[in-house]
Short mmCIF file of all heavy atoms in Angstrom, two decimals:
data_model
loop_
_atom_site.label_atom_id
_atom_site.label_comp_id
_atom_site.label_asym_id
_atom_site.label_seq_id
_atom_site.Cartn_x
_atom_site.Cartn_y
_atom_site.Cartn_z
N ARG A 21 80.51 143.33 123.39
CA ARG A 21 80.88 142.31 122.42
C ARG A 21 79.67 141.41 122.16
O ARG A 21 78.74 141.37 122.96
CB ARG A 21 82.04 141.46 122.96
CG ARG A 21 83.21 142.27 123.47
CD ARG A 21 84.26 141.39 124.09
NE ARG A 21 85.36 142.16 124.65
CZ ARG A 21 86.41 141.64 125.25
NH1 ARG A 21 86.50 140.33 125.39
NH2 ARG A 21 87.38 142.41 125.73
N PRO A 22 79.70 140.66 121.07
CA PRO A 22 78.60 139.71 120.83
C PRO A 22 78.45 138.70 121.95
O PRO A 22 77.36 138.20 122.20
CB PRO A 22 79.03 139.04 119.51
CG PRO A 22 79.87 140.06 118.83
CD PRO A 22 80.62 140.76 119.92
N SER A 23 79.55 138.39 122.64
CA SER A 23 79.50 137.41 123.71
C SER A 23 79.13 138.01 125.06
O SER A 23 78.98 137.29 126.05
CB SER A 23 80.86 136.70 123.84
OG SER A 23 81.88 137.65 124.12
N GLY A 24 78.99 139.35 125.13
CA GLY A 24 78.66 139.99 126.40
C GLY A 24 79.47 141.26 126.61
O GLY A 24 79.94 141.88 125.66
N TYR A 25 79.65 141.62 127.87
CA TYR A 25 80.35 142.85 128.23
C TYR A 25 81.62 142.52 129.02
O TYR A 25 81.62 141.65 129.88
CB TYR A 25 79.45 143.75 129.08
CG TYR A 25 78.32 144.38 128.29
CD1 TYR A 25 77.13 143.69 128.07
CD2 TYR A 25 78.43 145.66 127.77
CE1 TYR A 25 76.09 144.25 127.36
CE2 TYR A 25 77.39 146.24 127.04
CZ TYR A 25 76.23 145.54 126.85
OH TYR A 25 75.21 146.11 126.13
N THR A 26 82.68 143.28 128.73
CA THR A 26 83.96 143.11 129.42
C THR A 26 84.44 144.46 129.91
O THR A 26 84.40 145.46 129.18
CB THR A 26 85.02 142.51 128.47
OG1 THR A 26 84.59 141.21 128.06
CG2 THR A 26 86.37 142.37 129.18
N ILE A 27 84.88 144.52 131.17
CA ILE A 27 85.44 145.75 131.72
C ILE A 27 86.95 145.63 131.77
O ILE A 27 87.49 144.58 132.12
CB ILE A 27 84.84 146.06 133.12
CG1 ILE A 27 85.26 147.48 133.55
CG2 ILE A 27 85.23 145.01 134.16
CD1 ILE A 27 84.46 148.00 134.73
N THR A 28 87.65 146.70 131.40
CA THR A 28 89.11 146.71 131.31
C THR A 28 89.67 147.87 132.12
O THR A 28 89.20 149.01 131.99
CB THR A 28 89.58 146.84 129.85
OG1 THR A 28 89.07 145.73 129.11
CG2 THR A 28 91.09 146.85 129.76
N PHE A 29 90.65 147.58 132.96
CA PHE A 29 91.36 148.62 133.69
C PHE A 29 92.34 149.28 132.73
O PHE A 29 93.14 148.60 132.08
CB PHE A 29 92.11 148.01 134.87
CG PHE A 29 92.96 149.00 135.64
CD1 PHE A 29 92.37 150.01 136.36
CD2 PHE A 29 94.35 148.90 135.63
CE1 PHE A 29 93.15 150.93 137.07
CE2 PHE A 29 95.13 149.79 136.33
CZ PHE A 29 94.53 150.81 137.06
N THR A 30 92.30 150.60 132.60
CA THR A 30 93.14 151.29 131.62
C THR A 30 94.27 152.07 132.26
O THR A 30 94.98 152.80 131.57
CB THR A 30 92.29 152.22 130.75
OG1 THR A 30 91.56 153.13 131.59
CG2 THR A 30 91.30 151.44 129.91
N GLY A 31 94.48 151.92 133.56
CA GLY A 31 95.62 152.54 134.21
C GLY A 31 95.23 153.67 135.15
O GLY A 31 94.09 154.12 135.21
N GLY A 32 96.22 154.14 135.91
CA GLY A 32 95.98 155.22 136.86
C GLY A 32 96.06 154.73 138.30
O GLY A 32 96.32 153.56 138.57
N MET A 33 95.83 155.64 139.23
CA MET A 33 95.97 155.35 140.66
C MET A 33 94.70 154.81 141.30
O MET A 33 94.73 154.26 142.40
CB MET A 33 96.44 156.61 141.41
CG MET A 33 97.78 157.13 140.93
SD MET A 33 98.29 158.63 141.79
CE MET A 33 98.52 158.01 143.46
N THR A 34 93.57 154.98 140.62
CA THR A 34 92.30 154.50 141.16
C THR A 34 92.13 153.01 140.86
O THR A 34 92.24 152.59 139.71
CB THR A 34 91.12 155.28 140.56
OG1 THR A 34 91.31 156.67 140.81
CG2 THR A 34 89.81 154.84 141.16
N LYS A 35 91.86 152.21 141.88
CA LYS A 35 91.70 150.77 141.69
C LYS A 35 90.32 150.43 141.12
O LYS A 35 89.33 151.06 141.47
CB LYS A 35 91.89 150.03 143.01
CG LYS A 35 93.33 150.01 143.52
CD LYS A 35 93.44 149.18 144.79
CE LYS A 35 94.88 149.13 145.27
NZ LYS A 35 95.03 148.33 146.51
N LEU A 36 90.31 149.44 140.24
CA LEU A 36 89.07 148.89 139.71
C LEU A 36 88.81 147.57 140.40
O LEU A 36 89.69 146.70 140.45
CB LEU A 36 89.17 148.69 138.20
CG LEU A 36 88.04 147.88 137.54
CD1 LEU A 36 86.71 148.61 137.63
CD2 LEU A 36 88.38 147.55 136.08
N LYS A 37 87.60 147.40 140.94
CA LYS A 37 87.22 146.15 141.60
C LYS A 37 85.90 145.64 141.04
O LYS A 37 85.00 146.43 140.75
CB LYS A 37 87.08 146.34 143.13
CG LYS A 37 88.37 146.71 143.84
CD LYS A 37 88.13 146.84 145.34
CE LYS A 37 89.40 147.22 146.09
NZ LYS A 37 89.16 147.35 147.55
N VAL A 38 85.81 144.33 140.88
CA VAL A 38 84.56 143.67 140.52
C VAL A 38 84.27 142.64 141.60
O VAL A 38 85.07 141.74 141.83
CB VAL A 38 84.64 143.00 139.13
CG1 VAL A 38 83.36 142.23 138.85
CG2 VAL A 38 84.89 144.03 138.05
N ASN A 39 83.15 142.82 142.28
CA ASN A 39 82.77 141.95 143.41
C ASN A 39 83.88 141.88 144.46
O ASN A 39 84.17 140.83 145.02
CB ASN A 39 82.42 140.55 142.92
CG ASN A 39 81.23 140.56 141.97
OD1 ASN A 39 80.32 141.37 142.11
ND2 ASN A 39 81.24 139.66 140.99
N GLY A 40 84.51 143.02 144.71
CA GLY A 40 85.53 143.12 145.74
C GLY A 40 86.92 142.69 145.31
O GLY A 40 87.88 142.87 146.07
N GLN A 41 87.07 142.14 144.11
CA GLN A 41 88.36 141.66 143.63
C GLN A 41 88.98 142.71 142.70
O GLN A 41 88.32 143.20 141.78
CB GLN A 41 88.20 140.34 142.88
CG GLN A 41 87.63 139.21 143.73
CD GLN A 41 88.55 138.82 144.87
OE1 GLN A 41 89.76 138.66 144.68
NE2 GLN A 41 87.99 138.67 146.05
N VAL A 42 90.25 143.03 142.94
CA VAL A 42 90.94 144.01 142.11
C VAL A 42 91.15 143.45 140.70
O VAL A 42 91.59 142.32 140.52
CB VAL A 42 92.31 144.40 142.72
CG1 VAL A 42 93.08 145.34 141.79
CG2 VAL A 42 92.12 145.05 144.08
N VAL A 43 90.81 144.26 139.71
CA VAL A 43 90.99 143.87 138.30
C VAL A 43 92.14 144.69 137.74
O VAL A 43 92.08 145.92 137.69
CB VAL A 43 89.71 144.14 137.48
CG1 VAL A 43 89.95 143.84 136.00
CG2 VAL A 43 88.56 143.30 138.01
N LYS A 44 93.21 144.00 137.32
CA LYS A 44 94.38 144.69 136.78
C LYS A 44 94.42 144.67 135.27
O LYS A 44 95.22 145.38 134.66
CB LYS A 44 95.66 144.06 137.33
CG LYS A 44 95.83 144.25 138.84
CD LYS A 44 97.15 143.70 139.32
CE LYS A 44 97.34 143.95 140.81
NZ LYS A 44 98.63 143.41 141.31
N ASP A 45 93.59 143.83 134.63
CA ASP A 45 93.52 143.81 133.17
C ASP A 45 92.06 143.86 132.73
O ASP A 45 91.49 144.92 132.62
CB ASP A 45 94.25 142.61 132.59
CG ASP A 45 94.05 141.34 133.41
OD1 ASP A 45 92.89 140.95 133.61
OD2 ASP A 45 95.04 140.74 133.83
N SER A 46 91.43 142.70 132.49
CA SER A 46 90.04 142.68 132.05
C SER A 46 89.24 141.62 132.79
O SER A 46 89.81 140.65 133.31
CB SER A 46 89.96 142.39 130.54
OG SER A 46 90.61 143.39 129.80
N ALA A 47 87.92 141.81 132.85
CA ALA A 47 87.03 140.84 133.49
C ALA A 47 85.69 140.82 132.76
O ALA A 47 85.16 141.88 132.40
CB ALA A 47 86.81 141.18 134.96
N GLN A 48 85.18 139.61 132.52
CA GLN A 48 83.86 139.45 131.90
C GLN A 48 82.80 139.81 132.93
O GLN A 48 82.87 139.37 134.09
CB GLN A 48 83.68 138.01 131.43
CG GLN A 48 82.40 137.74 130.68
CD GLN A 48 82.48 138.12 129.21
OE1 GLN A 48 83.57 138.24 128.68
NE2 GLN A 48 81.35 138.31 128.57
N LEU A 49 81.82 140.61 132.54
CA LEU A 49 80.77 141.03 133.47
C LEU A 49 79.57 140.10 133.40
O LEU A 49 79.17 139.66 132.32
CB LEU A 49 80.34 142.46 133.16
CG LEU A 49 81.38 143.56 133.46
CD1 LEU A 49 80.87 144.91 132.98
CD2 LEU A 49 81.72 143.60 134.94
N LYS A 50 79.00 139.83 134.57
CA LYS A 50 77.81 138.99 134.68
C LYS A 50 76.72 139.79 135.40
O LYS A 50 77.01 140.75 136.12
CB LYS A 50 78.12 137.70 135.45
CG LYS A 50 79.26 136.89 134.86
CD LYS A 50 79.51 135.62 135.66
CE LYS A 50 79.95 135.92 137.08
NZ LYS A 50 81.26 136.60 137.11
N ASP A 51 75.47 139.37 135.21
CA ASP A 51 74.36 140.04 135.88
C ASP A 51 74.61 140.14 137.38
O ASP A 51 75.04 139.16 138.01
CB ASP A 51 73.05 139.30 135.62
CG ASP A 51 72.38 139.78 134.35
OD1 ASP A 51 72.73 140.87 133.86
OD2 ASP A 51 71.51 139.06 133.83
N HIS A 52 74.34 141.33 137.92
CA HIS A 52 74.41 141.63 139.36
C HIS A 52 75.84 141.79 139.88
O HIS A 52 76.05 141.88 141.09
CB HIS A 52 73.66 140.57 140.19
CG HIS A 52 72.29 140.28 139.69
ND1 HIS A 52 71.32 141.26 139.56
CD2 HIS A 52 71.72 139.12 139.26
CE1 HIS A 52 70.21 140.72 139.09
NE2 HIS A 52 70.43 139.43 138.88
N ASP A 53 76.85 141.82 138.97
CA ASP A 53 78.21 142.12 139.41
C ASP A 53 78.26 143.53 139.99
O ASP A 53 77.61 144.45 139.46
CB ASP A 53 79.19 142.03 138.24
CG ASP A 53 79.65 140.61 137.97
OD1 ASP A 53 79.35 139.72 138.79
OD2 ASP A 53 80.33 140.39 136.95
N LYS A 54 79.04 143.71 141.04
CA LYS A 54 79.23 145.03 141.65
C LYS A 54 80.59 145.57 141.22
O LYS A 54 81.62 144.91 141.39
CB LYS A 54 79.12 144.95 143.17
CG LYS A 54 77.70 144.70 143.65
CD LYS A 54 77.60 144.70 145.16
CE LYS A 54 76.13 144.65 145.62
NZ LYS A 54 75.43 143.46 145.11
N ILE A 55 80.59 146.78 140.68
CA ILE A 55 81.80 147.42 140.16
C ILE A 55 82.16 148.59 141.05
O ILE A 55 81.29 149.41 141.39
CB ILE A 55 81.58 147.91 138.71
CG1 ILE A 55 81.27 146.73 137.79
CG2 ILE A 55 82.79 148.68 138.20
CD1 ILE A 55 80.78 147.15 136.42
N GLU A 56 83.42 148.67 141.45
CA GLU A 56 83.92 149.80 142.25
C GLU A 56 85.06 150.46 141.50
O GLU A 56 85.98 149.81 141.02
CB GLU A 56 84.43 149.32 143.61
CG GLU A 56 83.37 148.70 144.50
CD GLU A 56 83.96 148.18 145.80
OE1 GLU A 56 84.61 148.97 146.51
OE2 GLU A 56 83.80 146.98 146.08
N LEU A 57 85.01 151.77 141.41
CA LEU A 57 86.07 152.56 140.81
C LEU A 57 86.29 153.77 141.72
O LEU A 57 85.53 154.73 141.68
CB LEU A 57 85.69 152.99 139.40
CG LEU A 57 86.80 153.44 138.45
CD1 LEU A 57 87.89 152.37 138.34
CD2 LEU A 57 86.26 153.75 137.09
N GLY A 58 87.31 153.65 142.57
CA GLY A 58 87.48 154.67 143.61
C GLY A 58 86.31 154.60 144.57
O GLY A 58 85.95 153.53 145.07
N SER A 59 85.69 155.75 144.83
CA SER A 59 84.55 155.79 145.75
C SER A 59 83.22 155.55 145.04
O SER A 59 82.17 155.52 145.68
CB SER A 59 84.50 157.17 146.44
OG SER A 59 84.35 158.20 145.49
N HIS A 60 83.26 155.34 143.74
CA HIS A 60 82.03 155.15 142.97
C HIS A 60 81.70 153.66 142.86
O HIS A 60 82.57 152.84 142.58
CB HIS A 60 82.19 155.75 141.57
CG HIS A 60 82.48 157.21 141.58
ND1 HIS A 60 81.49 158.17 141.65
CD2 HIS A 60 83.66 157.88 141.57
CE1 HIS A 60 82.04 159.38 141.65
NE2 HIS A 60 83.35 159.23 141.60
N ARG A 61 80.43 153.33 143.06
CA ARG A 61 79.99 151.93 143.03
C ARG A 61 78.79 151.78 142.09
O ARG A 61 77.89 152.62 142.08
CB ARG A 61 79.62 151.45 144.43
CG ARG A 61 80.80 151.44 145.41
CD ARG A 61 80.42 150.83 146.75
NE ARG A 61 79.33 151.56 147.38
CZ ARG A 61 78.19 151.00 147.77
NH1 ARG A 61 77.99 149.70 147.61
NH2 ARG A 61 77.25 151.73 148.35
N PHE A 62 78.79 150.70 141.33
CA PHE A 62 77.72 150.43 140.38
C PHE A 62 77.36 148.95 140.45
O PHE A 62 78.17 148.11 140.84
CB PHE A 62 78.15 150.76 138.94
CG PHE A 62 78.60 152.16 138.73
CD1 PHE A 62 79.92 152.53 138.93
CD2 PHE A 62 77.70 153.14 138.32
CE1 PHE A 62 80.35 153.82 138.74
CE2 PHE A 62 78.12 154.45 138.11
CZ PHE A 62 79.45 154.79 138.32
N GLN A 63 76.15 148.64 140.02
CA GLN A 63 75.77 147.24 139.81
C GLN A 63 75.47 147.07 138.32
O GLN A 63 74.74 147.85 137.72
CB GLN A 63 74.54 146.85 140.63
CG GLN A 63 74.21 145.36 140.51
CD GLN A 63 73.10 144.93 141.44
OE1 GLN A 63 72.01 145.50 141.40
NE2 GLN A 63 73.36 143.95 142.29
#
């Protein structure tokens, strides 16, 4: 988006986490945020 990047959980059994916190809808992303989706991890 013009204001930045937003990550949205779109459903399923795999949990989405940003900085260790479960995201059930959407979260604004900031520099150096850690994203977890199942066993996969990204910064």
Side-chain angles (χ1 to χ4, degrees):
R21 310 175 183 180
S23 60
Y25 289 84
T26 298
I27 190 166
T28 300
F29 176 67
T30 55
M33 299 178 66
T34 303
K35 289 184 178 180
L36 169 66
K37 295 181 180 180
V38 175
N39 298 327
Q41 299 296 314
V42 175
V43 175
K44 294 184 178 180
D45 39 56
S46 299
Q48 184 83 19
L49 291 175
K50 304 181 297 295
D51 272 343
H52 311 302
D53 277 351
K54 289 183 172 59
I55 299 169
E56 297 177 55
L57 199 54
S59 60
H60 300 274
R61 296 185 301 124
F62 303 87
Q63 185 173 56

